[in-house]
Amino acid sequence: MHHFFSIAFSLLAIIGQHVSSAREHRSVLTVPNGGPWGTWRDVSMCPDGTYAYGFSLRVEDPIDGDDTALNGIRLYCTDRSEEDSSSNDITSIESGIGYWGEWKAIKNCPKGLFRAFQLRVESEQLSGDDTAANNIRFECSDGTELQGDGTTWGDWGKWSSKCEGKGICGIGTKIEEPQGDGDDTALNDVYEDDKNSRKIK
């Protein structure tokens, strides 16, 4: 049984069209190696006309006990172009946030925007301590790869597909509510949806 917040997320690439107050996305980027716990929460989107170019992670460092590892993800959004190195009107959006850990350093694309991601996930430990997702990498549109300051447990899975729009502009989370005493987990799985089939509020 798991206690804590199990977090997972999807990164959304959008067309930039608007229907009421919604941004319509072009594709949803997913990876196949997520964990099994939690329920999906609302998606957070970058402001209109902006896309993610930087990130930071909330991570609980190893405590030699019930480890939770990755507890939150913050994306930094800007109106820069895919080739630009300057960043204007920077804002941040967050995934669902767990209780533990500290925010690590911000990492930014030297140029351009996020186009794909990869997760490091520890498989289910059965009677052992589960942590699920432990770290993330992003690929920038200039080819640079940025790795977060997460923990080292688990294995890196396959890269997501590259976004079909201008860049990544949203994040959604899967959270397991407190279950009482038990094993705590962190980021677990990735939101999946057919492209062009959902409008994000």
Side-chain angles (χ1 to χ4, degrees):
M1 180 163 72
H2 292 274
H3 169 108
F4 179 52
F5 288 99
S6 297
I7 304 170
F9 69 100
S10 62
L11 301 173
L12 310 173
I14 69 160
I15 298 172
Q17 297 174 343
H18 309 286
V19 179
S20 300
S21 61
R23 291 180 79 171
E24 186 176 305
H25 65 277
R26 179 173 289 178
S27 59
V28 176
L29 308 182
T30 65
V31 290
N33 61 325
W37 303 286
T39 56
W40 290 104
R41 301 307 170 97
D42 291 339
V43 173
S44 295
M45 299 294 289
C46 292
D48 291 347
T50 68
Y51 299 84
Y53 82 108
F55 77 105
S56 59
L57 303 180
R58 184 175 184 178
V59 178
E60 181 186 45
D61 293 325
I63 60 172
D64 193 27
D66 184 6
D67 292 297
T68 61
L70 189 53
N71 276 254
I73 301 165
R74 183 177 289 158
L75 295 182
Y76 293 86
C77 309
T78 184
D79 60 356
R80 70 164 45 169
S81 70
E82 294 179 69
E83 295 80 26
D84 199 356
S85 61
S86 63
S87 300
N88 302 309
D89 299 325
I90 299 168
T91 58
S92 65
I93 59 174
E94 296 178 356
S95 70
I97 304 301
Y99 291 129
W100 298 284
E102 302 295 331
W103 288 102
K104 302 295 185 175
I106 300 169
K107 298 179 185 264
N108 299 324
C109 292
K111 290 185 178 180
L113 306 163
F114 289 160
R115 300 299 299 271
F117 75 99
Q118 181 183 36
L119 290 178
R120 182 173 199 151
V121 179
E122 182 183 50
S123 61
E124 189 172 355
Q125 300 297 293
L126 302 176
S127 60
D129 179 24
D130 290 309
T131 60
N134 282 263
N135 207 348
I136 190 170
R137 289 177 180 145
F138 286 97
E139 180 183 320
C140 303
S141 53
D142 70 353
T144 301
E145 293 180 8
L146 301 175
Q147 181 169 312
D149 295 321
T151 62
T152 59
W153 297 305
D155 300 306
W156 290 102
K158 294 181 180 178
W159 282 91
S160 71
S161 59
K162 292 185 180 180
C163 66
E164 296 178 12
K166 183 175 178 179
I168 290 170
C169 68
I171 186 168
T173 61
K174 185 178 182 185
I175 299 172
E176 182 181 55
E177 293 291 352
Q179 303 292 302
D181 293 337
D183 184 12
D184 298 325
T185 64
L187 195 146
N188 263 258
D189 202 356
V190 178
Y191 180 86
E192 297 186 23
D193 196 8
D194 295 330
K195 62 185 179 182
N196 299 320
S197 66
R198 183 187 293 259
K199 291 171 184 172
I200 304 302
K201 296 180 181 178

